[in-house]
């Protein structure tokens, strides 16, 4: 119904393709596709979905059968593909590709999307497994004249923009960015395995992107890294994977700017921004899901208890990001506050720079 309504109202739109869909209630790509299909982004029309596994090698698996029944059948009028090759048969239209596959697959999917004729790309975080791979992707996009928007939704979230405003008008104030996951201790081994790139490149990459975009943090201008609360830090090796289960650190750069970042895998889903003055007094504290939206989110979670909770706690931001990118593609300008691929590169550089430093500080503490 969403796509039909979009065609009826006749607004100028960009065609949207989602690459890397995943299963209903579990895949981030699926949730992006659902919002687009339902017409929640007025400047976008979902035309294509690419799912390499469940429409390819895993087509006859239990997941493949579920994909056919719960995704393909529930999005009539959308073209589904097992690969990127047949995307965008129509010429002369704005073609925005959202890449939400596994991080390790992103470089290949990215280049395939450009070859298929993408005019714009919205790339989910962190973009690529390594700095060198993401830098090569940025080079390829520039050569093809394809703008790249990054899927760092916290950069446009109101809890962050509010903190930035308070920080700006209070000299000497300090911002703390907090990210929480809802894993149980006994689930950490699986978490480390599934997110083998590490906490800083995965969970906390949002906060590092914020540090890069709004606080000027760069791997080559950090002058001090401190563990503010060593008791709130832990590095474990589980089933051969070494990573942080939680970390709490402050970055200071050569300009004297500081920002504190806290990430905890086992603290319950959520994100928060805090601003304190020079005495430590709180000037601002706001959650991603605040009191004004808590009832709506709880109702949505009750409506879909089998969906991954983060899809619903971040639902408005996912929608807003796609709409900003689609509208900007239509109007041929870069969307406000949306992270560039250069910011993503700086965030990855920070992650690669900080991981051994923080591990060494934890060993010494």
């Amino acid at each position: 119904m969403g796509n039909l309504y979009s065609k009826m109202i006749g607004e100028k739109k960009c065609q949207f393709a989602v690459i890397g869909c995943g299963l209903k209630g579990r895949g981030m790509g699926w949730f992006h596709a659902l919002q687009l299909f339902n017409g929640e982004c007025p400047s976008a029309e979902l035309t294509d979905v690419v799912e390499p596994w469940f429409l390819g090698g895993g087509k006859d698996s239990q997941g493949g059968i579920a994909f056919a029944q719960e995704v393909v059948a529930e999005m009539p009028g959308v073209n589904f593909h097992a690969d990127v090759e047949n995307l965008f048969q129509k010429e002369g239209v704005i073609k925005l590709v959202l890449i939400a596959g596994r991080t390790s697959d992103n470089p290949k999917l990215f280049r395939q999307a450009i070859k298929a004729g993408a005019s714009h790309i919205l790339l989910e975080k962190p973009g690529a497994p390594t700095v060198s791979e993401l830098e090569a992707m940025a080079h390829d996009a520039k050569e093809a004249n394809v703008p790249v928007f990054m899927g760092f939704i916290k950069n446009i979230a109101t809890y962050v923009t509010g903190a930035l405003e308070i920080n700006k008008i209070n000299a000497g104030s300090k911002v703390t960015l907090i990210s929480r996951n809802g894993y149980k201790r006994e689930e950490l081994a699986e978490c480390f395995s599934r997110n083998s790139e590490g906490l800083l490149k995965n969970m906390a990459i949002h906060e590092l992107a914020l540090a890069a975009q709004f606080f000027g943090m760069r791997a080559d201008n950090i002058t001090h890294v401190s563990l503010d609360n060593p008791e709130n830090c832990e590095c474990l090796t589980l089933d051969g994977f070494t990573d942080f289960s939680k970390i709490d650190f402050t970055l200071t750069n050569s300009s004297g700017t500081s920002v504190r970042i806290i990430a905890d895998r086992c603290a319950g889903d959520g994100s928060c921004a805090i601003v304190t003055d020079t005495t430590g007094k709180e000037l601002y504290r706001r959650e991603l899901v605040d009191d004004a939206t808590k009832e709506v989110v709880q109702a949505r979670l009750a409506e879909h208890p089998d969906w991954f909770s983060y899809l619903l706690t971040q639902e408005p931001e996912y929608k807003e990001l796609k709409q900003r990118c689609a509208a900007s593609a239509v109007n041929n300008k870069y969307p406000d506050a949306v992270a560039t691929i250069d910011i993503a590169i700086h965030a990855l550089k920070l992650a690669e720079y900080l991981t051994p430093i923080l591990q060494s500080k934890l060993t010494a503490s």
Side-chain angles (χ1 to χ4, degrees), residues 36 62 64 110 113 119 184 219 232 236 303 318 338 352:
L36 291 164
Q62 186 175 351
F110 187 89
S119 60
K184 299 174 183 176
N232 200 31
L236 302 171
E303 185 181 357
Y318 285 133
V338 173
E352 292 185 0

Side-chain angles (χ1 to χ4, degrees), residues 89-134:
Q89 299 302 304
K90 189 184 295 184
E91 295 297 327
V93 295
I94 301 167
K95 309 165 185 178
L96 202 162
V97 172
L98 190 159
I99 300 176
R102 295 183 302 177
T103 300
S104 59
D105 294 333
N106 280 355
K108 178 182 70 175
L109 296 172
F110 187 89
R111 292 184 176 91
Q112 289 176 343
I114 292 176
K115 186 177 180 181
S119 60
H120 302 73
I121 292 177
L122 172 51
L123 180 62
E124 271 296 351
K125 59 86 179 172
T130 65
V131 169
S132 60
E133 287 173 291
L134 194 57

Side-chain angles (χ1 to χ4, degrees), residues 29-40 46 75 300 307:
W30 167 81
F31 194 67
H32 281 306
L34 180 69
Q35 289 186 320
L36 291 164
F37 180 76
N38 287 338
E40 296 180 45
L46 179 66
M75 294 186 184
R300 293 284 284 151
W307 292 10

Side-chain angles (χ1 to χ4, degrees), residues 50-80:
V50 177
E51 174 43 57
W53 174 245
F54 293 122
L55 290 176
K59 184 176 182 179
D60 296 324
S61 67
Q62 186 175 351
I65 295 170
F67 186 83
Q69 295 173 343
E70 299 178 353
V71 181
V72 177
E74 294 185 6
M75 294 186 184
V78 175
N79 301 307
F80 282 83

